[in-house]
Amino acid sequence: MTKPFIAGNWKMNTDSRSSVSLAEAVAARTTGLAGRQVDVALCPPFVYLGPVFRAVGNSSIAVGAQDVYFQPDGAFTGEVSVSMLKDMGCTYALCGHSERRHVIGESDELVNKKVTAAVSGGLLPILCVGELIEQRKAGRTTEVVTGQVKNGFAGLSAEKALAVTMAYEPVWAIGTGLTATPQQAQEVHALIRELIGRIYDSRLADEIRILYGGSAKPGNAAALMQEQDIDGLLVGGASLKADDFIDIIKAAV
Ligand code: PEP
């Protein structure tokens, strides 16, 4: 059985104090659970990665970045490389979060470069995919998600692909309070697993964890986690409240 994985995406929230107190609370209150029964990662803003890494201390909570650039170094003002993130203690990096795709305008091609650079540099990417509400209403969810998955994995060997965690995040459910029903989410998770099986093989498809993201909260976490192909949750808003995030972690085991 796959170990569940709960990741908190703090987005552009918290400050130097609250990032540390939130990380300390999550670490202190998930001892014996995090790392053993469930993998947990916190993805704070870039500037708080160092303090958050120190705050989680020698607990089993991992730290992740919300984005990463694909170039190793050089004249790329404002960007942060894989080696910089590793240097700050990061294990994971989100790639292609819907806010990067739809607010900042990242293409599938750029997301693929980020995933490839992360894996090559030993950082574990969390590749996010998901359809807009108009695309779902137009019956295009399968087509959109298929394209994002295929393009996201383009050029990755099976060995490298194993380092990827997938996150299905329907854009209409992110930060809106609207959650996909467990059945709606399961349908797309099964599609993603089938696609990975077709690109690589069924063993790899079974091993890759697929997280659901989109208004996950304590009240819906257990029901989502019961679905066969939902291996964890990528949590935005609810990861900013220690009590809610810890309840979600507990609901995953
Ligand atoms: C996210 O930011 O990845 C997310 C799922 O946000 P929320 O849980 O707030 O919908």
Side-chain angles (χ1 to χ4, degrees):
M1 226 185 85
T2 322
K3 199 198 286 182
F5 180 17
I6 306 295
N9 172 18
W10 295 357
K11 312 195 191 203
M12 200 170 72
N13 293 299
T14 69
D15 58 24
S16 58
R17 274 175 191 227
S18 60
S19 58
V20 166
S21 56
L22 181 53
E24 282 174 348
V26 174
R29 293 166 58 194
T30 55
T31 317
L33 201 62
R36 292 196 190 173
Q37 297 181 55
V38 50
D39 286 332
V40 178
L42 304 177
C43 302
F46 282 137
V47 288
Y48 305 131
L49 283 169
V52 165
F53 183 65
R54 288 189 287 281
V56 298
N58 54 13
S59 74
S60 298
I61 307 274
V63 176
Q66 297 176 17
D67 188 26
V68 61
Y69 200 54
F70 67 90
Q71 293 285 4
D73 51 43
F76 303 102
T77 302
E79 297 294 350
V80 178
S81 72
V82 171
S83 60
M84 289 171 182
L85 295 177
K86 290 209 61 174
D87 189 33
M88 294 312 288
C90 286
T91 304
Y92 297 96
L94 304 182
C95 294
H97 187 276
S98 79
E99 286 144 23
R100 304 285 324 164
R101 291 179 187 268
H102 299 294
V103 181
I104 315 288
E106 288 191 5
S107 64
D108 275 348
E109 193 193 358
L110 178 57
V111 174
N112 173 252
K113 285 182 176 167
K114 293 181 174 194
V115 169
T116 306
V119 175
S120 304
L123 193 62
L124 305 177
I126 301 176
L127 169 59
C128 307
V129 299
E131 79 287 359
L132 297 162
I133 190 65
E134 308 84 272
Q135 294 168 329
R136 174 163 280 262
K137 283 188 177 157
R140 295 184 52 220
T141 300
T142 299
E143 170 205 328
V144 170
V145 172
T146 300
Q148 290 172 335
V149 171
K150 285 188 175 166
N151 291 325
F153 280 96
L156 277 194
S157 65
E159 195 194 333
K160 288 190 167 167
L162 255 184
V164 178
T165 298
M166 286 300 305
Y168 168 57
E169 301 204 298
V171 181
W172 47 273
I174 299 182
T176 57
L178 293 173
T179 316
T181 63
Q183 294 71 26
Q184 282 173 319
Q186 165 58 27
E187 218 171 88
V188 182
H189 280 233
L191 164 74
I192 294 171
R193 210 177 292 287
E194 191 204 318
L195 284 168
I196 296 170
R198 271 197 260 147
I199 301 170
Y200 299 101
D201 57 51
S202 58
R203 184 190 65 87
L204 200 142
D206 286 343
E207 281 186 32
I208 283 189
R209 291 188 287 197
I210 309 175
L211 316 183
Y212 166 79
S215 300
K217 34 190 180 267
N220 58 26
L224 286 160
M225 287 298 300
Q226 258 163 27
E227 294 297 329
Q228 189 184 341
D229 291 295
I230 301 185
D231 305 313
L233 301 167
L234 178 52
V235 185
S239 70
L240 292 168
K241 294 181 201 133
D243 287 349
D244 285 359
F245 192 57
I246 291 160
D247 283 350
I248 292 172
I249 293 168
K250 289 181 178 161
V253 295

